[in-house]
Amino acid sequence: MPDIQAPRGTQDILPEEQPWWDYVRTAAERLCREFRYEQIDTPAFEDVALFKRTVGGETDIVQKEMYVFEDRGGQELALRPEATAPVCRAYIEHGMHNQPQPVRLYSITPMFRYDRPQAGRYRQFHQFNVEAIGDESASVDAETIEILWRLYEELGLTGLTLNLNSIGDAECRPRYLEVLRDYYRDKLDRVCPDCRGRFEHNPLRLLDCKDARCQGVIAGAPALADYLCDACAQHFADVKAYMDALGIPYVENPRLVRGLDYYTRTVYEVQPLEEGGQSTVGGGGRYDGLIEMIGGRPTPGVGFATGIERIILNLKRQGMPLPDRSKLDVFVVCQSPAARVSAFKLASDVRRSGFSAVVGSADRSLKAQLRHADSLGASYAAILGERELAAGEVTLKRLNDGSQETVALDGLPQRLSGGR
Ligand code: AMP
């Protein structure tokens, strides 16, 4: 072991893991093209105020999990713990309200949270993140949910539950929070210490507590759905009607709230089978007040984030075979030091005609080079020894059945094209 290792909660994504990442990334990008979402990349760090103001000063993310540092110029910065606030900042900063609305954006990028590392929970992790900014229609909420659901479907993730709720807006939520506080007031001696704090600072999160002591109290709490104003109730009904039309199964979960302060109306989360709230694969919702919080004109928005590590973990858990690693077309076996330059040139010609090629080491035996070719999953070995060199030829061996033929050196690319 080296005496310096990867920081706790981070991981090296090794070449043998990359096929999983390709598999997920490719599906996500294909869907974004289908729905015409365009890629955006924002910086890995931002002014810390961006997250304090939007995610919320009372949230775990801001209080316990953000990587905050002062740069050499004395500016307080934070490594990005989530993508929505940065994307909204970019929306304002680049005048995207002048474009046709909603502006549809996505990113696939690392996030940083000082979380307690465990399976599927890291301090640097990657999210596929989708945002539709500038349209409050329920159809846009439904569109984002459809992308998330289609992603899991296309990847072959099974046993998922889509939980759906509406948490109202600035008009109806305060009224509900009063009702919720009234309900909790004489039960505070029965709930966990964290919930006593939530009662004061963030009462909606009372519903989200995982502590066993609090579950009975949560079960009896008044449901937010009963306190929605007419506009929010209609919006929620519309979202559900779109879901029904698409045949996407969901569970209406009146206890579902999301951890961050900026959510309004629709919230949703996808849970894998037999797992608690700690293992959510993806979640999102509407955030109609966020852009105003950071100085933009009132602009609605909706979106989701899904963790790539967690998707891969669940695919592996359900026994999905590893997607194919990228294959090699030709391994050029170099059987004599005199053939080195010709082998090198042959590989270069093969690549220029659109095939992949690797050259073996002339210092190693034929057998060792063929083993190497096999371990790279090569389709062909092109064997170049002194005899072949003298004749201007190469022996082309097909590795899956061992069949061999002789091909002119300069005819190999053509032979490969014909043999596809
Ligand atoms: P959140 O922004 O907390 O709703 O997270 C959205 C998604 O990101 C979750 O559903 C997870 O898939 C993933 N995620 C969040 N935190 C972590 C973490 N610490 N490690 C790995 N994935 C995470």
Side-chain angles (χ1 to χ4, degrees):
M1 275 291 185
D3 61 354
I4 299 177
Q5 292 168 15
R8 196 164 128 73
T10 69
Q11 50 175 359
D12 299 312
I13 306 167
L14 298 173
E16 55 265 34
E17 278 294 303
Q18 296 288 346
W20 289 106
W21 287 77
D22 270 356
Y23 178 60
V24 177
R25 212 168 15 223
T26 306
E29 286 168 353
R30 194 179 51 236
L31 276 169
C32 285
R33 266 196 307 278
E34 224 177 81
F35 284 80
R36 222 299 188 160
Y37 280 65
E38 291 183 302
Q39 186 169 355
I40 182 165
D41 289 306
T42 62
F45 54 86
E46 296 271 355
D47 188 326
V48 70
L50 177 65
F51 303 110
K52 282 192 177 161
R53 231 189 279 168
T54 57
V55 172
E58 295 296 329
T59 57
D60 282 354
I61 289 191
V62 167
Q63 286 200 338
K64 303 182 195 159
E65 296 172 2
M66 251 190 333
Y67 281 89
V68 179
F69 62 99
E70 197 178 286
D71 71 8
R72 287 168 197 275
Q75 199 188 348
E76 215 186 356
L77 301 166
L79 292 184
R80 168 185 54 202
E82 63 100 44
T84 304
V87 169
C88 288
R89 177 202 49 71
Y91 173 96
I92 303 171
E93 201 167 320
H94 302 284
M96 292 190 211
H97 62 272
N98 292 318
Q99 300 175 16
Q101 308 292 297
V103 176
R104 295 177 161 94
L105 301 167
Y106 80 92
S107 60
I108 299 177
T109 195
M111 300 294 155
F112 307 88
R113 293 184 196 171
Y114 192 78
D115 231 331
R116 202 159 47 83
Q118 50 190 286
R121 189 169 290 278
Y122 304 98
R123 290 180 176 171
Q124 176 174 326
F125 59 98
H126 297 72
Q127 281 183 345
F128 167 45
N129 182 86
V130 156
E131 315 288 351
I133 307 176
D135 189 335
E136 66 174 357
S137 317
S139 62
V140 187
D141 305 49
E143 174 180 296
T144 64
I145 301 175
E146 187 188 3
I147 297 174
L148 185 62
W149 195 252
R150 283 269 316 273
L151 175 71
Y152 298 148
E153 254 178 15
E154 300 206 354
L155 293 173
L157 259 186
T158 54
L160 300 176
T161 306
L162 168 64
N163 287 284
L164 187 64
N165 194 22
S166 171
I167 56 168
D169 64 5
E171 191 187 320
C172 51
R173 196 161 48 206
R175 197 155 31 100
Y176 170 73
L177 294 182
E178 272 320 301
V179 175
L180 187 65
R181 275 210 179 93
D182 287 345
Y183 166 79
Y184 263 83
R185 195 159 282 121
D186 60 358
K187 300 174 185 64
L188 289 176
D189 51 343
R190 282 195 261 151
V191 299
C192 71
D194 281 352
C195 275
R196 270 171 237 140
R198 289 181 187 125
F199 177 82
E200 295 298 333
H201 306 293
N202 197 354
L204 201 57
R205 294 291 314 270
L206 287 165
L207 300 174
D208 195 24
C209 182
K210 302 290 177 288
D211 195 303
R213 280 169 286 184
C214 304
Q215 300 312 307
V217 181
I218 292 173
L224 216 162
D226 297 334
Y227 293 85
L228 294 179
C229 61
D230 290 347
C232 285
Q234 185 59 51
H235 194 272
F236 192 31
D238 292 345
V239 172
K240 288 184 283 185
Y242 287 116
M243 293 291 98
D244 294 339
L246 294 175
I248 295 179
Y250 58 86
V251 174
E252 224 177 303
N253 178 351
R255 310 282 170 240
L256 176 68
V257 294
R258 299 265 303 149
L260 318 184
D261 275 7
Y262 54 58
Y263 284 110
T264 51
R265 294 189 166 174
T266 315
V267 289
Y268 53 96
E269 275 187 1
V270 179
Q271 309 283 355
L273 205 62
E274 296 166 28
E275 300 270 0
Q278 294 305 313
S279 64
T280 307
V281 218
R286 181 161 274 289
Y287 45 84
D288 291 347
L290 197 160
I291 294 211
E292 234 177 321
M293 282 177 180
I294 51 175
R297 61 181 73 178
T299 309
V302 60
F304 68 76
T306 179
I308 313 243
E309 286 85 350
R310 239 174 250 187
I311 292 177
I312 293 173
L313 181 73
N314 282 289
L315 289 172
K316 288 181 180 172
R317 277 188 181 155
Q318 71 184 50
M320 179 171 282
L322 179 73
D324 278 348
R325 280 179 85 168
S326 67
K327 290 264 191 264
L328 175 64
D329 296 314
V330 182
F331 188 97
V332 181
V333 173
C334 187
Q335 252 196 309
S336 130
R340 269 187 187 131
V341 173
S342 301
F344 190 79
K345 172 75 166 62
L346 180 65
S348 172
D349 292 344
V350 165
R351 292 184 200 111
R352 281 175 192 274
S353 54
F355 297 93
S356 54
V358 165
V359 188
S361 160
D363 306 334
R364 303 178 68 195
S365 69
L366 171 66
K367 213 167 135 194
Q369 291 188 61
L370 286 175
R371 254 202 318 270
H372 190 181
D374 254 343
S375 75
L376 296 181
S379 302
Y380 292 98
I383 303 166
L384 206 55
E386 277 174 25
R387 187 183 56 76
E388 285 90 352
L389 203 58
E393 291 172 349
V394 61
T395 301
L396 187 65
K397 182 179 167 97
R398 206 156 72 187
L399 292 176
N400 63 358
D401 60 8
S403 63
Q404 282 191 193
E405 62 189 289
T406 304
V407 180
L409 257 184
D410 55 7
L412 182 60
Q414 221 175 339
R415 164 66 189 80
L416 292 169
S417 305
R420 268 223 231 237

